[in-house]
């Protein structure tokens, strides 16, 4: 393990099994993930932040650990157990909306590095406490374990309710990925194992009730290639248990990226083609496993996925696999 620095922001660098991983303690944010190639070279697969200013601004939410909510809340407000809460007064000055949780700029602790196995493990943790966020008066202990080596990078998220009452908790991860040989995502093939897409309004909030859930075509959520398709869309997985895989493939190079998620923990895959990132439009794609749709705190049908009892733990495990030749 090495200690790194991103313009004054401390980072951790670990090399293992042909993989180099760099993670900022701010937000437990992956900055770089590179893997070895058969010819002795390396490929960079992560589109992370390149400076401390980018990390602080956090415009794209790149590799954000999303907790205790994922993506957006309508107007930054929600109701839980009859009480109304407002997160807008605590917004970061550079944010234009309440989005991607409360810990993407938080200082995470380095709890350990283990390189003794086939996959290395890098463990970080942080906390959320009622005195920190008036709009979220609940107590959580959060942990992420990154497991990596060879062509793999996994993230295991855990949230434990350490408060005296039920708490609303949704988890997610927001990786931005690239495939070598492609300046944009236009020429890539994308397949999401979905049965339903989530329809949204102008603020990207799911429509009311059943209007939010639309069946996908018989061919599923698949684009060959993406071309100029614009996606900032959540999909409900077609299965309810086991492991589901979303695939990003290059017909030009034969490389592919597979994003695996446990359907029981994370029944939603959110896809963003980075169309609105200034200067970086469509240069990468966000494939985000999440445990509930946006604005789930305000949706009765997601209550069992949101509510977390005292002492209970919510987990989300996901893995990204680079296939050099598909």
């Amino acid at each position: 393990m090495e200690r790194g620095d991103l313009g004054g922001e401390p980072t951790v660098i670990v090399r293992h099994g042909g993989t180099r991983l760099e993670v900022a303690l701010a937000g437990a944010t992956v900055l770089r993930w590179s893997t070895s190639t058969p010819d002795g070279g390396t490929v960079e697969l992560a589109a992370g932040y390149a400076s401390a200013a980018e990390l602080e601004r956090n415009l794209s939410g790149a590799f954000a650990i999303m907790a205790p909510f994922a993506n957006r809340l309508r107007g930054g407000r929600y109701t839980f157990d009859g009480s109304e809460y407002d997160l807008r007064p605590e917004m970061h000055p550079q944010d234009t909306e309440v989005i991607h949780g409360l810990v993407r700029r938080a200082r995470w602790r380095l709890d350990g590095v283990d390189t003794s196995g086939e996959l290395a493990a890098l463990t970080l943790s942080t906390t959320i406490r009622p005195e920190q966020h008036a709009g979220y008066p609940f107590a959580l202990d959060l942990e992420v374990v990154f497991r990596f080596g060879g062509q793999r990078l996994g993230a295991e998220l855990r949230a434990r309710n350490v408060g005296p009452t039920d708490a609303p908790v949704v988890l997610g991860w927001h990786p931005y990925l690239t495939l070598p040989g492609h300046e944009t995502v236009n020429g890539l093939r994308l397949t999401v194992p979905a049965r339903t897409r989530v329809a949204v309004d102008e603020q990207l909030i799911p429509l009311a009730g059943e209007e939010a859930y639309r069946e996908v075509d018989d061919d599923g959520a698949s684009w060959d290639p993406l071309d100029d398709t614009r996606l900032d869309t959540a999909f409900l997985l077609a299965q309810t248990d086991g492991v589901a895989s979303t695939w990003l493939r290059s017909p030009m190079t034969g490389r592919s990226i597979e994003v695996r998620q446990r359907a029981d923990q994370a029944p939603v895959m959110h896809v963003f083609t980075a169309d609105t990132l200034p200067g970086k439009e469509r240069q990468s794609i966000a494939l985000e496993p999440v445990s509930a749709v946006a604005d789930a705190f305000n949706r009765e049908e997601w209550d069992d996925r949101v509510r977390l009892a005292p002492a209970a733990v919510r987990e989300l495990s996901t893995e990204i696999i680079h296939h050099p030749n598909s």
Side-chain angles (χ1 to χ4, degrees), residues 249-260:
R249 295 181 170 93
S250 166
M252 180 177 68
T253 67
R255 295 182 185 274
S256 64
I257 287 177
E258 177 189 5
V259 180
R260 295 180 175 179

Side-chain angles (χ1 to χ4, degrees), residues 143-170:
E143 179 184 77
V144 59
V145 182
F146 295 110
R147 299 192 188 277
F148 55 96
Q151 306 294 325
R152 297 171 179 265
L153 170 61
E156 299 170 4
L157 314 182
R158 297 182 185 89
R160 181 182 298 275
N161 182 356
V162 294
T165 66
D166 288 359
V169 179
V170 171

Side-chain angles (χ1 to χ4, degrees), residues 24-322:
L25 296 186
T29 308
V30 171
L31 302 174
R32 298 287 178 270
W33 169 44
S34 61
T35 68
S36 59
T37 59
D39 60 4
T42 60
V43 294
E44 180 64 50
L45 301 166
Y49 295 119
S51 69
E54 281 191 0
L55 178 62
E56 172 66 12
R57 188 182 183 196
N58 226 279
L59 177 64
S60 67
F63 283 90
I65 305 294
M66 296 188 287
F69 60 90
N71 298 310
R72 292 165 171 83
L73 289 174
R74 183 183 295 278
R77 294 174 289 188
Y78 65 98
T79 300
F80 187 73
D81 281 346
S83 296
E84 296 183 0
Y85 301 98
D86 190 346
L87 288 165
R88 292 173 300 170
E90 300 151 24
M91 284 173 55
H92 189 275
Q94 297 192 65
D95 288 342
T96 58
E97 60 184 327
V98 174
I99 191 170
H100 297 339
L102 301 175
V103 295
R104 58 194 169 103
R105 294 185 181 92
R107 184 67 56 188
W108 289 62
R109 296 179 297 274
L110 174 61
D111 291 340
V113 177
D114 183 358
T115 58
S116 62
E118 179 182 356
L119 297 179
L122 171 62
T123 304
L124 302 102
S125 62
T126 193
T127 60
I128 295 174
R129 294 294 185 264
E131 61 271 17
Q132 295 174 301
H133 305 282
Y136 190 82
F138 307 97
L140 303 179
D141 286 351
L142 302 172
E143 179 184 77
V144 59
V145 182
F146 295 110
R147 299 192 188 277
F148 55 96
Q151 306 294 325
R152 297 171 179 265
L153 170 61
E156 299 170 4
L157 314 182
R158 297 182 185 89
R160 181 182 298 275
N161 182 356
V162 294
T165 66
D166 288 359
V169 179
V170 171
L171 298 178
W173 195 35
H174 203 298
Y176 280 83
L177 303 168
T178 64
L179 277 171
H182 293 266
E183 294 184 358
T184 73
V185 301
N186 291 16
L188 299 177
R189 298 170 177 168
L190 175 67
T191 304
V192 183
R195 57 179 172 82
T196 307
R197 68 174 177 87
V198 180
V200 298
D201 62 18
E202 296 81 3
Q203 285 74 47
L204 299 177
I205 299 296
L207 300 179
E210 290 301 312
E211 283 298 309
Y213 307 111
R214 310 287 177 85
E215 289 188 13
V216 299
D217 296 337
D218 292 340
D219 294 335
S222 182
W223 296 264
D224 184 10
L226 275 164
D227 286 334
D228 58 356
T229 300
R230 298 169 63 97
L231 294 171
D232 195 350
T233 308
F235 297 91
L236 304 187
L237 300 180
Q239 60 193 84
T240 58
D241 58 9
V243 175
S245 293
T246 295
W247 287 87
L248 186 70
R249 295 181 170 93
S250 166
M252 180 177 68
T253 67
R255 295 182 185 274
S256 64
I257 287 177
E258 177 189 5
V259 180
R260 295 180 175 179
Q261 61 197 95
R262 283 186 48 179
D264 59 331
Q265 297 176 340
V268 179
M269 166 57 73
H270 191 103
V271 180
F272 175 47
T273 46
D275 301 277
T276 56
L277 299 186
K280 298 182 179 181
E281 295 89 345
R282 300 185 69 82
Q283 293 179 14
S284 61
I285 187 168
L287 300 176
E288 313 161 36
V290 287
S291 64
V293 298
D295 202 39
F297 282 13
N298 290 312
R299 301 189 69 93
E300 183 179 356
E301 74 271 22
W302 286 91
D303 184 72
D304 62 336
R305 293 280 186 177
V306 166
R307 185 176 298 274
L308 189 64
V313 175
R314 178 150 294 143
E315 297 181 322
L316 188 156
S317 297
T318 183
E319 186 177 40
I320 307 169
I321 304 173
H322 172 234

